[in-house]
Amino acid sequence: FQLQQLTERLVEDAHHLAWELRPAVLDDLGLETAISNYVEKWSERNSISLDFHSGLNKLRVPPAIETAVFRIVQEALTNVIKHAQATRVSVMLEYRYDELLVIVEDNGRGFQPEVPLTVQECGGLGLVGIRERVSLIGGKLNLESEPGCGATLAIRIPAPASVPQEAFAYERAAHFLSR
């Protein structure tokens, strides 16, 4: 009986890990929905108030950018749990002038962003991993924080957007019916 429970738990954990790495909802419904679902569960699991705002309006960006942004938000929220001692977090996605803007802000204890961090110093990837992901997709990272005043992570990524396929199907159907 214990072996069966352990096996079920391992399968559950493997499924959760796979979802965390690249959730199917990212492919099916896009970045906006994937992050919305993730932050809702994150907030419930960690008992931290989280506001999510998105101006993407179902716009899609290339899959590599969607995956990187999803992982960046995950890592930023992991950092909040590990280091910030925050009680409130905001996550914002916005698309402006062929750029994807991603902001993660908390009211935690803050830190000195000008102090260079290495993987060895922080015991994990954290900000080092975020910087690397942002760089790999051609983005720019701006980090604002000071001790006692929370932190704001702002990322700008050049990202051509596309209109969701269902919008095209609807337009074609409406046009066809109007003849």
Side-chain angles (χ1 to χ4, degrees):
F1 183 70
Q2 285 180 332
L3 185 57
Q4 183 181 0
Q5 284 180 325
L6 179 60
T7 302
E8 288 173 2
R9 176 66 183 180
L10 287 172
V11 168
E12 228 175 81
D13 289 350
H15 176 72
H16 180 71
L17 181 61
W19 187 90
E20 292 269 326
L21 292 174
R22 173 94 185 157
V25 70
L26 198 54
D27 292 325
D28 299 339
L29 301 175
L31 184 62
E32 183 174 34
T33 302
I35 289 183
S36 177
N37 291 346
Y38 180 79
V39 298
E40 183 179 329
K41 289 176 185 171
W42 181 91
S43 178
E44 289 171 7
R45 192 171 54 248
N46 296 292
S47 300
I48 296 176
S49 175
L50 192 145
D51 294 317
F52 175 65
H53 303 280
S54 176
L56 295 185
N57 298 320
K58 308 264 188 230
L59 287 175
R60 298 295 301 260
V61 293
I65 292 174
E66 286 185 335
T67 301
V69 169
F70 184 82
R71 299 291 289 142
I72 287 165
V73 170
Q74 278 183 312
E75 189 61 47
L77 293 176
T78 297
N79 286 348
V80 168
I81 292 299
K82 287 182 175 179
H83 308 290
Q85 300 172 349
T87 58
R88 284 191 333 270
V89 179
S90 294
V91 175
M92 186 186 90
L93 302 175
E94 191 71 40
Y95 191 79
R96 298 181 192 157
Y97 312 109
D98 290 337
E99 249 184 358
L100 181 60
L101 175 62
V102 181
I103 298 175
V104 180
E105 187 171 47
D106 70 65
N107 70 342
R109 64 185 186 155
F111 60 98
Q112 295 176 321
E114 64 276 359
V115 175
L117 297 174
T118 66
V119 174
Q120 291 78 23
E121 289 171 332
C122 57
L125 293 178
L127 288 174
V128 174
I130 290 172
R131 284 185 180 124
E132 183 66 22
R133 285 183 198 280
V134 170
S135 174
L136 287 172
I137 56 175
K140 294 183 182 189
L141 171 68
N142 183 34
L143 184 58
E144 294 179 10
S145 183
E146 61 182 75
C149 295
T152 301
L153 180 82
I155 301 163
R156 293 185 176 280
I157 303 159
S162 62
V163 178
Q165 290 301 313
E166 61 268 15
F168 290 123
Y170 177 77
E171 286 177 12
R172 280 193 295 263
H175 181 69
F176 176 76
L177 294 174
S178 65
R179 289 183 183 178

